[in-house]
């Protein structure tokens, strides 16, 4: 603050800010907003929604202390346990070996390695991308975790923190392959899901300290700035209008939609919805001015790029993410957030405002074309409600074609709804366990935000929870996993959420033990 006050900008703007703030403190608007905030807070604390958020789920709570969880962790950590036994037997040799010490040191830096891997995944150009890079990368991360765990017993696969529902969903994914309408077509997609499973398991297990969590959020923010800046450069250079993405009659004058390194503007918009809340969290929790300035730049460029995608579902998801962020951070600011949001509408560019007006316009071709997709998906679900059509869009598309269930004009690629598509691919068990995993994760994050934990853990957990909530709303109108690396980014975000919950609980337990000791 002192640096800002002594700067030229500070000397010019701070006196004006103090005048405005003093006026606001004594104004009727301030008294009105505070009154609304008090009423809102009292209502919320006595509401059913509050009860839903704070109530522990029976199954997740029982899972952490169950025999099955202990057995699963023992089996999956058996290689690391054997290596640790070897290390203890040859401790003198390993401790005096340069290469062994180098391997242990690299293994202890697995969170940083994961961060750099995700930067590469998010910034690599689409035309040169191969989805095998993600799989090989996370296999390497798993090897690093085992290498570090040879000496450090804390580096173990942590299934307690992952929770039961993601594991059930993983089981549903594996089961959907052999019962697929075409197991050959589903094989490729099975490896995409295995990559996501490795991402969640290794990331949650590797995060042991608050600095690890901040590092992952920092790498995500770095990737946000890089991909967003490239999207802005695309707009400056000019993007050709693709009429398969937009109805030219209802969006006259709208420029081409930017897509950065993701080929599709919808995919780019979804990535931005997932990353911007993490950057905002870093703005609030960074201890250095340089860190805050960097996070502000990344978030600002990300918001600008999000507008340039003209992705309506992502705009709605971003607004919902912002509301969840404010709600978890400081509920008293909800009324002010709503008022500021309404006041910002007149300042939107005409092309964005006109695009918003087409959201509920059924004459828009990109909207009306989705209803035959939904109808075909529901017919397919009626045909195979329990086991689904099989893993992957290719198997689903083949089944719908052979059964003549789709009667639209545009080609059937996917159902344009994540939840319908998961049901189509993995059956009833898959969609139920997926939704349960998301709800349980968000509830755990909401509770973790109230625990006694470091400021950074709380805010990054809030950012991850807001991003997950926003993208879940976005996915009501699109299929997030159509691009496998966007799928990896989603599960990486979910892993950050689970890691934040894990650390918050750990710090809260330490605080309770310290208090009990006193």
């Amino acid at each position: 603050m002192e640096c800002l006050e002594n700067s030229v900008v500070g000397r010019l703007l701070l006196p004006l800010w103090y005048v405005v703030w003093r006026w606001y403190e004594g104004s009727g608007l301030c008294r009105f907003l505070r009154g609304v905030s008090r009423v809102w807070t009292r209502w919320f604390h006595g509401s059913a929604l509050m009860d839903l958020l704070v109530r522990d789920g029976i199954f997740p709570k029982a899972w952490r202390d169950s025999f099955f969880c202990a057995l699963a962790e023992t089996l999956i950590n058996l290689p690391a346990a054997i290596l640790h036994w070897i290390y203890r037997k040859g401790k003198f040799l390993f401790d005096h070996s340069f290469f062994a010490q180098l391997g242990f040191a690299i293994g202890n830096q697995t969170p940083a390695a994961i961060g750099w891997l995700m930067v590469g995944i998010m910034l690599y150009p689409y035309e040169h991308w191969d989805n095998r890079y993600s799989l090989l990368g996370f296999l390497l991360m798993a090897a690093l975790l085992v290498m570090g765990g040879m000496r450090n017993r804390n580096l173990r696969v942590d299934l307690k923190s992952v929770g039961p529902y993601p594991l059930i969903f993983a089981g549903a994914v594996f089961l959907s392959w052999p019962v697929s309408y075409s197991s050959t077509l589903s094989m490729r997609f099975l490896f995409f899901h295995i990559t996501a499973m490795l991402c969640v398991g290794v990331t949650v297990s590797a995060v042991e300290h608050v600095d690890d969590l901040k590092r992952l959020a920092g790498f995500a923010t770095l990737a946000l700035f890089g991909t967003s800046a490239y999207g802005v450069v695309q707009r400056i250079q000019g993007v050709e209008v693709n009429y398969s993405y937009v109805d030219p009659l209802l969006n006259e004058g709208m420029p081409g939609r930017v897509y950065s390194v993701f080929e599709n503007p919808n995919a780019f918009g979804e990535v931005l919805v997932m990353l911007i809340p993490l950057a905002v969290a870093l703005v609030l929790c960074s201890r250095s001015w340089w860190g805050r300035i960097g996070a502000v730049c990344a978030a600002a460029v990300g918001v600008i790029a999000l507008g340039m995608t003209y992705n309506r579902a992502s705009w709605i998801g971003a607004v919902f993410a912002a509301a969840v962020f404010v709600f978890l951070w400081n509920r008293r600011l909800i009324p002010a957030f709503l008022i500021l949001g309404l006041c910002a509408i007149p300042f939107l560019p005409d092309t964005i405002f006109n695009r918003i007006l087409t959201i509920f316009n059924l004459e828009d071709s990109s909207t009306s074309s989705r209803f035959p997709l939904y109808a075909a998906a529901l017919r397919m679900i009626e045909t195979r409600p329990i086991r689904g059509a099989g893993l992957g869009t290719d198997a689903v598309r083949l089944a719908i074609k052979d059964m003549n269930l789709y009667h639209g004009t545009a080609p059937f690629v996917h159902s344009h709804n994540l939840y319908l598509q998961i049901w189509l691919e993995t059956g009833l068990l898959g969609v139920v366990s997926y939704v349960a995993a998301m709800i349980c994760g968000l509830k755990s994050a909401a509770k973790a935000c109230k625990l006694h934990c470091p400021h950074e853990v709380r805010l990054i957990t809030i950012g991850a929870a807001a991003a997950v909530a926003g993208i879940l709303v976005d996915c009501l109108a699109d299929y997030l996993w159509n691009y496998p690396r966007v799928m990896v980014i989603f599960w990486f975000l979910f892993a950050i959420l689970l890691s934040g919950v894990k650390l918050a609980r750990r710090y809260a337990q330490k605080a309770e033990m310290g208090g009990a000791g006193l």
Side-chain angles (χ1 to χ4, degrees):
M1 188 66 182
E2 182 179 351
C3 178
L4 180 63
E5 290 175 343
N6 293 331
S7 66
V8 176
V9 176
R11 286 196 296 270
L12 291 175
L13 296 182
L14 282 178
L16 177 61
W17 167 253
Y18 289 141
V19 170
V20 173
W21 179 253
R22 283 195 294 269
W23 168 83
Y24 173 75
E25 283 287 297
S27 67
L29 176 62
C30 179
R31 291 192 295 272
F32 170 75
L33 290 179
R34 286 178 176 172
V36 171
S37 176
R38 286 192 294 268
V39 173
W40 155 262
T41 301
R42 285 197 299 270
W43 170 84
F44 176 75
H45 278 287
S47 67
L49 178 60
M50 180 66 174
D51 181 63
L52 177 66
L53 288 176
V54 302
R55 187 175 63 234
D56 272 332
I58 298 175
F59 187 32
K61 186 177 180 180
W63 164 257
R64 292 192 289 270
D65 300 319
S66 69
F67 166 78
F68 295 102
C69 179
L71 178 62
E73 284 193 339
T74 300
L75 292 176
I76 201 169
N77 287 307
L78 188 59
I82 294 173
L83 289 174
H84 183 69
W85 177 81
I86 295 173
Y87 167 75
R88 284 190 301 157
K89 293 297 182 181
K91 187 175 185 301
F92 178 83
L93 178 63
F94 285 111
D95 288 349
H96 291 81
S97 168
F98 169 78
F99 293 104
Q101 292 301 309
L102 178 63
F104 296 151
I106 294 174
N108 287 328
Q109 295 300 316
T110 302
I114 293 173
W116 281 116
L117 174 61
M118 290 307 303
V119 169
I121 289 174
M122 294 185 214
L123 295 181
Y124 207 85
Y126 173 81
E127 56 271 18
H128 302 299
W129 178 253
D130 190 318
N131 292 310
R132 286 173 292 190
Y133 297 159
S134 299
L135 177 59
L136 294 174
F138 276 104
L139 285 173
L140 176 60
M141 296 303 107
L144 291 180
L145 183 70
V146 173
M147 186 185 304
M150 184 174 182
R151 184 176 63 175
N152 183 357
R153 295 190 65 178
N154 292 326
L155 290 179
R156 295 290 185 269
V157 177
D158 186 0
L159 297 183
K160 288 186 179 70
S161 298
V162 172
Y165 295 122
L167 297 177
I168 295 174
F169 178 70
V173 167
F174 279 108
L175 287 174
S176 64
W177 171 56
V179 301
S180 171
Y181 189 81
S182 173
S183 58
T184 303
L185 292 177
S186 294
M187 173 65 78
R188 181 167 62 98
F189 294 87
L190 177 62
F191 286 105
F192 298 156
H193 283 276
I194 290 174
T195 303
M197 296 172 197
L198 287 170
C199 174
V200 174
V202 173
T203 302
V204 175
S205 304
V207 174
E208 286 291 313
H209 308 285
V210 61
D211 289 340
D212 297 334
L213 191 65
K214 286 183 65 177
R215 191 175 290 118
L216 289 178
F219 279 116
T221 301
L222 174 63
L224 168 66
F225 179 79
T227 190
S228 301
Y230 184 61
V232 174
V233 171
Q234 274 185 341
R235 162 63 61 244
I236 296 172
Q237 293 177 340
V239 180
E240 184 178 354
V241 177
N242 188 333
Y243 292 111
S244 65
Y245 293 152
V246 61
D247 189 328
L249 298 178
L250 296 179
N251 296 273
E252 186 177 359
M254 194 182 85
R257 300 171 60 186
V258 301
Y259 49 85
S260 188
V261 297
F262 294 96
E263 190 207 27
N264 188 303
N266 289 341
F268 181 35
E270 291 157 358
V271 171
L272 294 175
V273 171
M274 291 187 282
L275 297 183
I276 291 173
L278 286 179
V280 175
L282 282 184
V283 172
L284 297 173
C285 73
S286 293
R287 297 185 180 275
S288 67
W289 276 104
W290 286 114
R292 291 186 178 182
I293 291 172
V296 166
C297 291
V301 178
V303 170
I304 293 171
L306 180 61
M308 293 175 177
T309 64
Y310 291 92
N311 184 356
R312 296 167 295 184
S314 292
W315 290 347
I316 295 174
V319 171
F320 190 79
V324 171
F325 193 106
V326 174
F327 175 79
L328 294 177
W329 178 42
N330 189 340
R331 291 191 294 272
R332 292 176 295 180
L333 296 178
I334 286 288
F337 169 77
L338 295 175
I339 293 174
L340 289 175
L342 293 174
C343 292
I345 292 177
F347 298 96
L348 294 174
D350 291 340
T351 52
I352 291 180
F353 184 74
N354 293 334
R355 181 71 169 164
I356 292 174
L357 295 179
T358 65
I359 290 177
F360 301 106
N361 190 340
L362 299 183
E363 296 181 1
D364 186 289
S365 59
S366 62
T367 300
S368 59
S369 64
R370 300 188 181 189
F371 291 104
L373 301 175
Y374 299 151
L378 292 174
R379 294 188 193 103
M380 187 73 250
I381 289 172
E382 289 177 1
T383 304
R384 298 164 66 110
I386 304 300
R387 57 178 177 169
L391 200 61
T393 54
D394 292 349
V396 171
R397 188 162 55 246
L398 178 63
I400 287 178
K401 179 182 177 182
D402 289 350
M403 297 180 189
N404 193 27
L405 301 178
Y406 176 62
H407 308 296
T409 55
F412 185 97
V413 179
H414 51 74
S415 65
H416 266 287
N417 180 292
L418 178 65
Y419 310 98
L420 283 178
Q421 191 70 29
I422 291 176
W423 197 342
L424 285 170
E425 295 185 17
T426 61
L428 184 62
L429 178 63
V431 69
V432 170
S433 58
Y434 173 78
V435 172
M438 296 301 108
I439 293 175
C440 183
L442 290 174
K443 284 180 60 176
S444 299
K447 292 187 63 176
C449 295
K450 304 304 177 185
L451 296 177
H452 188 278
C453 62
H455 186 55
E456 298 91 337
V457 172
R458 176 177 180 265
L459 281 167
I460 293 174
T461 305
I462 288 174
V468 169
I471 201 62
L472 291 179
V473 171
D474 186 329
C475 290
L476 291 169
D478 214 339
Y479 178 48
L480 177 69
W481 300 345
N482 189 42
Y483 290 87
R485 67 167 164 168
V486 178
M487 175 185 182
V488 173
I489 296 170
F490 167 79
W491 286 111
F492 171 69
L493 174 69
F494 188 68
I496 291 179
L497 183 151
L498 296 180
S499 300
V501 172
K502 166 186 169 180
L503 292 182
R505 287 173 174 169
R506 184 173 296 176
Y507 281 108
Q509 289 173 356
K510 289 182 179 179
E512 290 177 1
M513 292 175 63
L518 294 175

